Amino acid sequence: MNQTLKQALDNYYMTIKENRPNYRTCYNSLLEYCDLNYSQYSLNEMFEKHINIWDIKQACKLYVESSKKATSIEAVQRFLTAVDYFCKYLKENNIRCEKLEGGCRKKKTVHDICVSLNNELEQKIYLPFDGEEELKIVESQIALLNRQNFYQLGQSIIYRLLTTYGFKEKVVINFKLRDFDDQTGKLMVCCNEENSINIDLPEEIYRDLVIYCNLNKYQEREYLFTKSNGTCLTPDSMFGTLKTRMKKMDVANFTPTSVALYGVANLVEEGLTLAEIKLLTGFETQKIDDVAQYLLTDEDAEELINRKIRGGVHWQGQ
């Protein structure tokens, strides 16, 4: 074991353990990873010449894989924040981690770690499908779908519904043909047994949905969207054609859930409350909260909260 690194981690942890007790396991995993890969180096050499963001991603994976409780985006963020604080402590003690000076806690880093973990763990860490390049690839493939084939056109419409409204997959699967009013462009969303919402569809989706309904040869069907054979969609068949193409192009994290969570992220940024998003999308509170946490990754939470409060405060007499 690298005793110098262990001592540095222990010394720093002693200064923060009252407020950050859960950082202990983060630092244990960082120490374990460094022992496995850099035990031959001094503390200075390790952090000044060798440790980089790839190493931190691998150490974070070790942390998640070895902890039964670290199964969320928040856990990944916690580890990266713990490393950032430790690097700041090292810098104060004349050890500069130049390869990490931009900070470890970044949305792209969180995204990469979660996608990598989801290929290895049974317990998935769900996050939005929001990679800039990946979105461009999907949109280019949607443009190539056969608009005369109702099943392929349906995938294009479903993608836009998910990214606009964040519907959970079961909400889309359970849309009935009668829920769509082709005269007004309204789509009824049955939120629960007591509530339903009639949403005004954007013109482009409305127009394509009319075309889809005319193309679908199963005119007496119960469900709005169907497979090519007219049977009810399943999570796997919602993006059948697109999913195959994304797999061939090595685009990771393309699922109905991840696309829907990208829509949830858009709703959060539009200012909808948690209760409103839960009612509209069908997602449980935890997944919506995870998305909100994910969106905060690149933000200074303190500055953001104060700015929003200042912007929303109206004093008496004003």
Side-chain angles (χ1 to χ4, degrees):
M1 178 177 289
N2 190 310
Q3 292 297 330
T4 310
L5 174 58
K6 182 179 185 304
Q7 189 63 56
L9 287 167
D10 287 346
N11 289 346
Y12 176 62
Y13 179 69
M14 289 298 292
T15 68
I16 63 165
K17 69 175 184 177
E18 185 175 339
N19 295 320
R20 307 280 183 177
N22 50 7
Y23 279 18
R24 177 75 275 176
T25 51
C26 299
Y27 292 141
N28 287 344
S29 294
L30 179 63
L31 177 61
E32 182 180 352
Y33 175 82
C34 291
D35 273 340
L36 289 171
N37 296 276
Y38 296 108
S39 60
Q40 70 272 37
Y41 298 109
S42 68
L43 179 62
N44 293 56
E45 289 178 312
M46 195 184 302
F47 281 89
E48 291 185 346
K49 296 182 180 180
H50 298 285
I51 298 289
N52 57 36
I53 195 63
W54 185 87
D55 291 302
I56 300 306
K57 290 178 183 179
Q58 300 309 306
C60 184
K61 286 174 61 180
L62 182 63
Y63 164 65
V64 174
E65 290 165 349
S66 61
S67 173
K68 293 181 180 180
K69 295 182 179 180
T71 56
S72 66
I73 290 173
E74 186 176 6
V76 174
Q77 292 172 322
R78 180 189 310 124
F79 180 88
L80 297 176
T81 302
V83 173
D84 281 339
Y85 282 147
F86 181 62
C87 288
K88 183 179 179 181
Y89 167 77
L90 290 178
K91 187 176 181 180
E92 291 170 353
N93 287 273
N94 300 315
I95 298 175
R96 293 192 62 185
C97 317
E98 290 190 9
K99 295 177 181 178
L100 303 178
E101 284 202 341
C104 299
R105 181 175 160 147
K106 292 182 178 295
K107 195 158 67 171
K108 185 180 185 310
T109 306
V110 173
H111 180 277
D112 291 347
I113 292 169
C114 291
V115 169
S116 179
L117 283 167
N118 284 346
N119 292 329
E120 302 168 18
L121 298 180
E122 291 184 13
Q123 175 69 41
K124 303 299 184 187
I125 299 178
Y126 292 100
L127 73 165
F129 181 80
D130 66 346
E132 188 174 335
E133 289 304 314
E134 289 83 356
L135 286 169
K136 289 179 181 178
I137 291 172
V138 173
E139 287 164 7
S140 68
Q141 289 302 309
I142 286 175
L144 297 175
L145 290 172
N146 182 358
R147 291 178 57 82
Q148 298 306 310
N149 178 305
F150 75 81
Y151 178 55
Q152 292 193 27
L153 177 59
Q155 292 172 62
S156 169
I157 296 169
I158 291 171
Y159 177 83
R160 283 173 281 164
L161 286 173
L162 295 187
T163 57
T164 304
Y165 300 106
F167 296 133
K168 193 173 183 178
E169 56 192 27
K170 72 175 183 179
V171 174
V172 174
I173 289 172
N174 289 324
F175 276 138
K176 302 297 193 293
L177 183 58
R178 64 175 180 268
D179 293 336
F180 172 56
D181 187 332
D182 62 0
Q183 298 301 309
T184 64
K186 292 183 181 295
L187 181 65
M188 186 174 71
V189 183
C190 297
C191 308
N192 51 47
E193 293 180 357
E194 299 177 355
N195 296 287
S196 63
I197 300 172
N198 286 300
I199 57 174
D200 294 305
L201 294 172
E203 181 63 30
E204 183 185 8
I205 297 178
Y206 170 29
R207 184 178 64 248
D208 280 355
L209 199 45
V210 170
I211 295 172
Y212 171 87
C213 289
N214 289 329
L215 283 174
N216 193 318
K217 60 185 178 181
Y218 301 97
Q219 295 294 310
E220 302 302 318
R221 67 192 184 278
E222 178 183 3
Y223 294 98
L224 179 58
F225 297 105
T226 68
K227 300 179 188 178
S228 296
N229 62 5
T231 59
C232 183
L233 287 176
T234 63
D236 284 340
S237 62
M238 284 177 68
F239 288 139
T241 309
L242 284 172
K243 192 174 180 181
T244 299
R245 294 181 182 181
M246 293 305 102
K247 189 173 182 179
K248 288 181 179 179
M249 301 178 79
D250 292 324
V251 175
N253 194 40
F254 183 76
T255 68
T257 297
S258 64
V259 173
L261 291 179
Y262 175 57
V264 169
N266 290 332
L267 297 176
V268 171
E269 294 186 325
E270 286 291 328
L272 271 72
T273 67
L274 187 151
E276 290 165 343
I277 295 172
K278 185 177 179 180
L279 184 67
L280 174 64
T281 67
F283 275 112
E284 57 272 26
T285 301
Q286 185 59 59
K287 281 198 174 64
I288 300 169
D289 187 56
D290 282 348
V291 170
Q293 286 278 357
Y294 176 67
L295 293 175
L296 275 174
T297 304
D298 289 346
E299 299 283 354
D300 180 328
E302 179 179 305
E303 191 278 333
L304 180 66
I305 290 169
N306 278 300
R307 186 174 71 243
K308 286 188 174 182
I309 291 175
R310 286 196 302 270
V313 169
H314 298 282
W315 303 104
Q316 286 187 342
Q318 287 187 332

